[in-house]
Amino acid sequence: MSQFLDIKCADSYLLDDGLKAVVNLLFRRRVSLITILLFSVLHSIAQTIPCDHKAYIIGSEFRDLNLNNLQSNNLPTNPDFEADAIGYNVRDEKIYGLTPNNYHLMSIDGNGTVEDLGIPEGLDLNFNYVAGDVAPEGKRLFVLAQNKTTGIDERFYTIRLEPPYFAGFLSVTSIEDVALGDIAFDPLLDKVYGYDNRQNKVVSLSSGGNITSHSTVSTPHTIGSLFFDEFGVLYGVENSKLIEFNKHTGEVLSVKNISNGGIDGCSCPYQLDFFQIINPPKIVPCSEAIITYYFDNRAGTSYGDIGIEAILPDGFTITEIIEKPFFGTVENGLGSNIFEVVNMQVLLGVDSFSIRVYLDETVTGTYDLQAKAFYFPQAFGTEMSSDNPYTIELSDPTKLKVLTNEKNLFEDDFLYLCEGGELTLETNLNGVDFLWNDGSTQPNLTVNEPGEYWVEIKNNCGIFRDFIQVKLEENPLFIDLGEDFTLNYGQNQTLSYASNSTDLSFQWSADTPEYLNCETCSNPNIQPFENTQYYVTVTNENGCTATDDILIKIEDQIEVYAPNVFSPNKDGINDAFYLQSGGNFRLKSFQIFDRWGNLVFDQSDIITNEPSNGWNGKVAGEIAEDGVYLWLAEVETLNSSLRLSGSVLLLNF
């Protein structure tokens, strides 16, 4: 039995370096009309499919789908192109998949140009291949081999996406048989998720072919496509419905209508950013700045053999490497103005490293500083320029201003002091001596009275002095949540407030955090199941704060409605049997039995009003017979629990 392949794949160069840079830039940034005209000339040569976090649907048409606004556009396509088990490849910005009839490996680019790569060597043609995705690093296509007779997934294949194209497999292992409609790689975690159409549940998979877990919640949906967005949100497509899942529990979070869902779909949810921060952003000659570089890797995998180069201006000298890059070798650095790292590992998540730089007496003006990172997949730009995270522009340099005017040491001419509060005055300068108007020599000065303050800094380049006015805020900030009030058990309510300011930021909390839907909203929605105290702290534009709290009491009163008939025929009407109520109540248990007392459905720790928490009319993956079924439920109340029971008629028509 063959093991997974891990073959290094060289980047593809379809254009010369200058033209390729233009094409790559076009897909990753908004561009000018002149650049667009240039691109139209290049369009006929080659066009990639941009990694812009959209989903791509292949069926009778080839379409993209914006997951934010659900807008969809038809893309160029070949009428003979069909593919299943598709995935997006970050290395060449193409989509790969297998044809559903003869299992040829196919690729399609942004022009709709289709390339038939043949049948991968080692791929068994006696199976169906429905579920698949390209691995985040772009070297392999993973597909599930489904028994044509039983419909059960038996093998987990990996197909190499570099010539020669060959496949190896491991056996699927699971406590229960599975038939996955599709799989998708999580951009935030080193994990693969799938959707099992036998049990109608979200599952997770290991790279060894193990179905490691089933979600606790089953749904009434049969999924043909599965993919993530850039925030790690899992979506599935059933016909013309886009379904948002909680990937951990399998719960359906939303269902939205879209155009035809096609045969299969995929996305490029990956994002990789390279940032540069300079502290302080303003500096005087003969002092120090700290430059921090960091990667924000949400690309589903780590990358190795990465290189970094930062060439600093004359008059800049690296004096210390404060934090070293992960597994990287510093080839240039201390004592020079060039910082160079090779063989670095960029892991999932955020990783940073910093250098200390001394600016001598010759520096003056404002500098645009930018570093380069090398050897990433094509979708991210094989060469990445560092970005200033504090601006809206992409891949723009970080500015460092050298102060020659002593009146610019403070960021502001004046600051407001909150009533009864204190304020810290600071210049954020490094490597200098300080003298404040009260004689203190610390980098910062804490004040609690209005007035004029000054600071004097001294180094080898001279003495600099600046003044700042501290004013007392005239109208003290207040926030009022009103009187305490009472809600019915499970009832929703939006909190409101009164204040003398409109430009506020909010920070909410509660005795029980899960009874609060948002911590930074102005008017959060609450749903407490017990008496709960809510707290808020608001901050205005001057940095002044005010607080208040409110007690919400709960009445122990429950009303639950259960339909007496349902028809799981997927017409969108009464397709699932679930309990409904005025508020969302917790169900400790929800069980359904057939007329002979056999348990056909069993859920625990769920809430009412959720169709995905109900019975979809299937038993062991098969449609149940028409007839009357008995149900039992235990509803959690404020001080105890309430047992409910009834019957429901199932009709398959």
Side-chain angles (χ1 to χ4, degrees):
M1 192 173 295
S2 176
Q3 297 294 316
F4 287 132
L5 310 173
D6 191 10
I7 309 299
K8 290 189 175 180
C9 175
D11 288 321
S12 172
Y13 294 90
L14 300 178
L15 309 174
D16 65 65
D17 290 342
L19 295 181
K20 183 177 179 184
V22 173
V23 174
N24 190 45
L25 184 62
L26 281 164
F27 280 118
R28 299 181 60 83
R29 303 191 63 163
R30 292 184 175 91
V31 294
S32 66
L33 177 60
I34 295 175
T35 312
I36 293 174
L37 292 174
L38 174 60
F39 178 64
S40 66
V41 176
L42 300 175
H43 180 85
S44 60
I45 303 174
Q47 182 176 339
T48 59
I49 300 173
C51 184
D52 54 7
H53 309 142
K54 293 179 181 177
Y56 294 94
I57 309 295
I58 290 180
S60 57
E61 301 171 332
F62 180 30
R63 297 181 293 106
D64 64 19
L65 176 64
N66 188 315
L67 295 174
N68 295 318
N69 57 25
L70 302 187
Q71 291 184 355
S72 182
N73 299 291
N74 288 338
L75 302 175
T77 189
N78 186 317
D80 298 327
F81 179 68
E82 273 190 309
D84 215 335
I86 66 171
Y88 182 94
N89 192 336
V90 296
R91 292 190 171 270
D92 57 12
E93 297 177 279
K94 296 180 181 180
I95 289 175
Y96 287 79
L98 297 175
T99 55
N101 297 321
N102 56 15
Y103 310 123
H104 281 226
L105 179 64
M106 309 287 283
S107 71
I108 184 170
D109 66 12
N111 271 332
T113 302
V114 175
E115 186 176 4
D116 187 340
L117 304 173
I119 300 174
E121 181 182 349
L123 189 70
D124 193 330
L125 305 186
N126 294 312
F127 290 91
N128 287 327
Y129 297 93
V130 176
D133 197 13
V134 173
E137 65 349 81
K139 298 177 182 178
R140 299 163 291 174
L141 173 66
F142 287 88
V143 295
L144 275 295
Q146 194 173 94
N147 188 297
K148 291 184 176 181
T149 302
T150 65
I152 304 299
D153 291 326
E154 295 184 359
R155 295 178 180 179
F156 195 31
Y157 273 90
T158 176
I159 301 172
R160 172 178 157 145
L161 296 181
E162 269 280 290
Y165 304 100
F166 56 86
F169 75 89
L170 293 172
S171 296
V172 172
T173 57
S174 177
I175 296 176
E176 301 178 70
D177 291 335
V178 295
L180 302 190
D182 203 5
I183 61 173
F185 284 85
D186 191 325
L188 307 183
L189 306 171
D190 186 15
K191 201 168 185 179
V192 187
Y193 287 87
Y195 187 87
D196 179 14
N197 282 328
R198 284 179 61 83
Q199 298 189 54
N200 302 98
K201 290 184 176 182
V202 173
V203 302
S204 57
L205 301 83
S206 73
S207 59
N210 298 320
I211 307 297
T212 55
S213 66
H214 275 76
S215 62
T216 57
V217 177
S218 62
T219 80
H221 302 289
T222 301
I223 299 301
S225 304
L226 203 66
F227 41 77
F228 281 93
D229 69 7
E230 70 269 31
F231 304 108
V233 177
L234 181 63
Y235 292 92
V237 174
E238 179 187 36
N239 299 323
S240 297
K241 296 178 181 178
L242 179 69
I243 302 160
E244 179 186 351
F245 292 100
N246 181 319
K247 63 188 176 187
H248 304 294
T249 66
E251 177 185 1
V252 173
L253 301 179
S254 68
V255 178
K256 299 176 182 178
N257 292 324
I258 59 172
S259 302
N260 191 323
I263 298 174
D264 199 3
C266 65
S267 67
C268 181
Y270 308 121
Q271 187 161 325
L272 183 61
D273 295 309
F274 177 39
F275 297 110
Q276 176 184 249
I277 295 176
I278 303 176
N279 187 36
K282 295 181 180 180
I283 195 171
V284 295
C286 299
S287 61
E288 296 175 332
I290 295 175
I291 303 178
T292 300
Y293 307 97
Y294 70 91
F295 289 97
D296 183 5
N297 182 3
R298 290 175 282 164
T301 187
S302 60
Y303 286 99
D305 300 325
I306 300 302
I308 295 173
E309 182 183 65
I311 301 177
L312 303 176
D314 292 339
F316 288 60
T317 302
I318 300 170
T319 60
E320 181 184 2
I321 299 174
I322 302 173
E323 297 178 36
K324 292 185 178 180
F326 192 73
F327 284 132
T329 300
V330 179
E331 292 202 337
N332 279 305
L334 294 178
S336 74
N337 66 332
I338 298 176
F339 182 58
E340 188 175 8
V341 180
V342 297
N343 301 324
M344 181 181 171
Q345 294 282 333
V346 178
L347 305 179
L348 276 175
V350 177
D351 187 26
S352 65
F353 47 97
S354 303
I355 59 175
R356 190 186 304 274
V357 178
Y358 178 79
L359 281 69
D360 65 22
E361 69 280 358
T362 65
V363 298
T364 183
T366 299
Y367 294 87
D368 289 336
L369 304 184
Q370 197 162 38
K372 302 286 185 182
F374 306 94
Y375 315 127
F376 288 103
Q378 180 176 309
F380 309 121
T382 53
E383 176 183 302
M384 298 178 64
S385 297
S386 65
D387 180 49
N388 181 357
Y390 300 120
T391 64
I392 61 173
E393 292 84 4
L394 297 176
S395 301
D396 61 322
T398 307
K399 294 184 180 296
L400 176 61
K401 184 176 182 179
V402 180
L403 302 174
T404 55
N405 187 331
E406 63 179 16
K407 296 298 184 181
N408 292 322
L409 299 181
F410 290 112
E411 290 288 334
D412 304 287
D413 294 328
F414 63 87
L415 293 173
Y416 281 98
L417 179 67
C418 306
E419 184 179 35
E422 59 183 25
L423 195 63
T424 299
L425 306 180
E426 55 189 352
T427 65
N428 294 316
L429 295 175
N430 301 314
V432 297
D433 296 326
F434 294 88
L435 176 64
W436 294 88
N437 56 283
D438 68 346
S440 63
T441 57
Q442 298 300 312
N444 305 321
L445 178 67
T446 300
V447 300
N448 53 23
E449 295 181 356
E452 183 179 72
Y453 296 85
W454 58 261
V455 66
E456 185 177 275
I457 64 170
K458 180 181 179 181
N459 63 15
N460 293 335
C461 287
I463 297 176
F464 302 83
R465 176 181 285 199
D466 196 7
F467 295 82
I468 189 169
Q469 289 285 337
V470 174
K471 302 179 180 181
L472 184 66
E473 187 172 60
E474 297 180 356
N475 298 312
L477 178 65
F478 78 86
I479 183 77
D480 183 12
L481 298 180
E483 298 295 328
D484 299 344
F485 61 89
T486 300
L487 294 176
N488 290 328
Y489 185 85
Q491 183 180 349
N492 290 285
Q493 179 68 35
T494 299
L495 293 179
S496 59
Y497 68 92
S499 177
N500 61 342
S501 178
T502 57
D503 188 7
L504 296 172
S505 61
F506 292 79
Q507 185 62 53
W508 293 87
S509 62
D511 291 341
T512 308
E514 57 262 36
Y515 296 160
L516 179 68
N517 78 325
C518 180
E519 295 181 351
T520 57
C521 303
S522 59
N523 300 97
N525 185 265
I526 63 171
Q527 188 184 32
F529 290 91
E530 58 188 342
N531 295 344
T532 303
Q533 195 90 19
Y534 290 87
Y535 309 87
V536 67
T537 298
V538 294
T539 306
N540 66 10
E541 66 274 16
N542 296 325
C544 299
T545 62
T547 62
D548 197 16
D549 60 89
I550 189 171
L551 174 64
I552 310 300
K553 298 180 181 180
I554 302 302
E555 285 189 354
D556 196 3
Q557 181 178 351
I558 292 179
E559 292 182 359
V560 176
Y561 166 72
N564 55 17
V565 63
F566 79 112
S567 56
N569 55 6
K570 297 184 180 179
D571 63 355
I573 303 173
N574 295 327
D575 284 336
F577 174 65
Y578 61 100
L579 299 186
Q580 302 168 43
S581 55
N584 291 333
F585 300 151
R586 294 178 184 272
L587 298 179
K588 289 185 176 181
S589 64
F590 184 33
Q591 297 177 316
I592 300 175
F593 302 85
D594 63 20
R595 69 186 70 181
W596 296 282
N598 298 312
L599 181 66
V600 298
F601 180 80
D602 188 9
Q603 287 278 42
S604 59
D605 194 24
I606 58 176
I607 61 173
T608 59
N609 299 319
E610 281 291 340
S612 61
N613 290 337
W615 183 36
N616 61 4
K618 292 184 178 180
V619 179
E622 302 294 332
I623 298 296
E625 295 181 356
D626 289 4
V628 176
Y629 292 79
L630 303 179
W631 61 268
L632 298 174
E634 185 176 2
V635 186
E636 184 180 279
T637 66
L638 180 60
N639 299 311
S640 59
S641 62
L642 177 66
R643 293 183 180 273
L644 303 174
S645 63
S647 63
V648 63
L649 175 62
L650 186 155
L651 295 176
N652 290 298
F653 60 83

